[in-house]
Amino acid sequence: MHEKTIQKIKERLDSLKKLPGIGTKSISNVLEENGFTRRDFLKWSGSMAAMLGLSSSFAPVIAQAAEVSDRLPVIWLHLAECTGCSESLIRTDTPTIDNLIFNFINLQYHDTLMAAAGWQAEENYEEALEKFAGKFILCVEGGVPTKDNGSFLTMGPQAKTGMQKLKETADKAAAIISVGTCSAFGGIQAAAPNPIGAKGVDKVIDKPVINVPGCPPSAKNIVGTILHVILFGTLPAVDNFNRPKFAYGLRIHDLCERRGHFDAGEFVEEFGDDGAENGFCLYKQGCKGPYTFNNCSRERFNQHTSWPVQAGHGCIGCSEPDFWDSMAPYEEPLADHKFASASVDATADKIGATILTVAGVAIAAHAALSAIKNPKE
Ligand code: FSX
Ligand code: SF4
Ligand code: F3S
């Protein structure tokens, strides 16, 4: 079964190999220049196979897919956002293998990274659109302002609206990836009262879109999604919010290193207390890990170095729809808001319907009980 799939992938990669690459260097050269050995690369492809939910026998083809990742053209649009998604991938003085592979992909057009500006940039864009029609991956960063026909965001010398540019590009794309919570769900600019009518990409175009949320999303999840498209020529399996299941299939809480403390009723009662020093659970400091689907607790960031909860702050739910409204205030437990007040507003109602499931109620009860168990309370 695996052999058949691997054989199919090899054939696909062979046909990609025939296409012209963009760089003069191979990915092996690039990695070597940055101090990574072949062994590191193979270790990386093994861990990428595990992350994509594939057996270790896929590791060699994943390494080969990374090697040909400069063949598949990518057009990258920036809409309403902070550019943090791209910045987090490119502005690093110690790039990880994921960063280097991101830099290696065949970026035909990227508003922030390209040297061209004005009319020249527009020409490059139109040329790429024609040349690679039906073949390129469209990555979108940023939410889509839709109010007043999208006029809150205009781009380039012809002052096209972001919405218009997105639609004409998506029309010719082979696959569309929303990179970051802004393009997936509207992002911070869609926070109430959302004066510009910001929306996620999939609410504006009617083609399949894969959402890779996070503010910003991890390099691993972006590169993993792109590699999946290169390997299989299809989008990966997704959840209800169109997020790849390989990355967003479990909650932060499920694999959190502080989970044992949660189960034992050991909580940080105040930032800086003994519990914080002992690495206790951050639920009472507002951690939204129990309501957030992402792989940060498993994959971490910066070559597996750390992640928000390890650094001492709760997860703020940055990969969930509407997190800026539904998860706030970030340093207070979500359940307190559900149960605390009589003035339940529309947003809180929505939380009740979408997030606070039976598990949420159980978690609130558990934290409350720990007040009895924990002598510090
Ligand atoms: Fe949004 Fe990305 Fe947050 Fe920023 O562009 S997901 S605001 S990190 O940069 O889109
Ligand atoms: Fe970890 Fe947060 Fe869950 Fe506590 S509530 S175990 S800190 S994810
Ligand atoms: Fe975001 Fe929570 Fe991960 S805040 S980065 S989803 S730990």
Side-chain angles (χ1 to χ4, degrees):
M1 159 86 176
H2 282 169
E3 278 128 51
K4 251 186 165 173
T5 316
I6 290 175
Q7 189 49 37
K8 247 177 123 182
I9 292 175
K10 279 188 179 154
E11 283 161 21
R12 202 181 136 66
L13 295 178
D14 280 343
S15 65
L16 279 174
K17 258 182 223 159
K18 290 187 191 121
L19 300 173
I22 42 162
T24 45
K25 292 175 188 163
S26 68
I27 189 67
S28 313
N29 296 142
V30 174
L31 293 173
E32 205 182 304
E33 278 168 16
N34 285 275
F36 292 104
T37 61
R38 183 80 194 157
R39 202 159 165 261
D40 295 329
F41 184 41
L42 293 177
K43 210 170 136 202
W44 170 88
S45 43
S47 67
M48 187 53 84
M51 183 178 110
L52 291 172
L54 302 169
S55 86
S56 56
S57 53
F58 282 81
V61 283
I62 287 181
Q64 284 171 36
E67 274 155 10
V68 299
S69 60
D70 67 336
R71 310 296 210 278
L72 205 65
V74 174
I75 292 183
W76 192 291
L77 290 185
H78 282 268
L79 304 178
E81 34 86 29
C82 79
T83 319
C85 308
S86 285
E87 297 276 343
S88 72
L89 282 163
I90 55 176
R91 301 247 186 258
T92 165
D93 52 2
T94 47
T96 63
I97 296 183
D98 300 297
N99 295 139
L100 292 169
I101 288 171
F102 174 75
N103 288 344
F104 189 67
I105 60 177
N106 182 354
L107 274 176
Q108 283 292 327
Y109 177 90
H110 187 293
D111 291 311
T112 325
L113 294 180
M114 64 192 176
W119 286 106
Q120 199 198 341
E122 195 62 17
E123 263 170 39
N124 293 356
Y125 162 77
E126 270 160 23
E127 218 181 278
L129 209 60
E130 280 316 307
K131 193 166 160 199
F132 301 109
K135 296 191 187 111
F136 65 91
I137 300 183
L138 168 62
C139 288
V140 189
E141 198 178 327
V144 198
T146 60
K147 202 170 163 211
D148 295 343
N149 211 16
S151 57
F152 286 89
L153 172 70
T154 57
M155 310 156 76
Q158 293 158 309
K160 285 182 187 169
T161 66
M163 188 160 72
Q164 190 184 354
K165 196 155 182 176
L166 169 68
K167 282 181 179 167
E168 67 179 41
T169 320
D171 210 37
K172 297 192 169 159
I176 305 165
I177 304 176
S178 277
V179 178
T181 299
C182 296
S183 50
F185 307 128
I188 191 70
Q189 45 283 314
N194 191 3
I196 60 172
K199 290 184 180 167
V201 167
D202 59 1
K203 299 283 178 304
V204 174
I205 55 174
D206 53 14
K207 281 175 109 173
V209 177
I210 191 114
N211 287 332
V212 185
C215 188
S218 79
K220 257 202 170 3
N221 292 353
I222 301 170
V223 170
T225 306
I226 294 177
L227 280 178
H228 188 286
V229 175
I230 295 178
L231 287 169
F232 299 101
T234 57
L235 295 173
V238 294
D239 71 2
N240 284 348
F241 294 116
N242 291 334
R243 301 176 290 198
K245 281 189 183 165
F246 71 77
Y248 302 87
L250 291 175
R251 295 174 309 164
I252 297 287
H253 189 60
D254 294 331
L255 295 174
C256 177
E257 67 247 25
R258 299 188 188 224
R259 177 61 188 266
H261 293 297
F262 174 90
D263 292 341
E266 294 168 341
F267 295 95
V268 174
E269 303 294 341
E270 203 185 325
F271 282 120
D273 69 3
D274 289 352
E277 206 170 297
N278 289 319
F280 284 5
C281 169
L282 291 157
Y283 179 77
K284 289 188 179 178
Q285 300 314 313
C287 182
K288 306 299 187 293
Y291 319 99
T292 305
F293 289 81
N294 204 343
N295 55 3
C296 313
S297 47
R298 187 181 62 201
E299 302 295 337
R300 303 185 190 176
F301 292 81
N302 300 327
Q303 213 83 324
H304 211 73
T305 312
S306 188
W307 65 292
V309 166
Q310 185 178 339
H313 194 281
C315 164
I316 62 170
C318 80
S319 52
E320 290 300 313
D322 299 339
F323 85 92
W324 48 90
D325 288 329
S326 61
M327 300 288 187
Y330 296 133
E331 290 173 358
E332 289 172 25
L334 189 57
D336 286 3
H337 298 278
K338 172 66 183 159
F339 304 122
S341 88
S343 61
V344 178
D345 62 18
T347 315
D349 267 348
K350 213 164 135 205
I351 296 169
T354 57
I355 298 171
L356 268 186
T357 56
V358 176
V361 175
I363 283 160
H366 179 92
L369 282 174
S370 82
I372 301 166
K373 244 182 85 184
N374 188 337
K376 278 201 195 108
E377 270 284 77

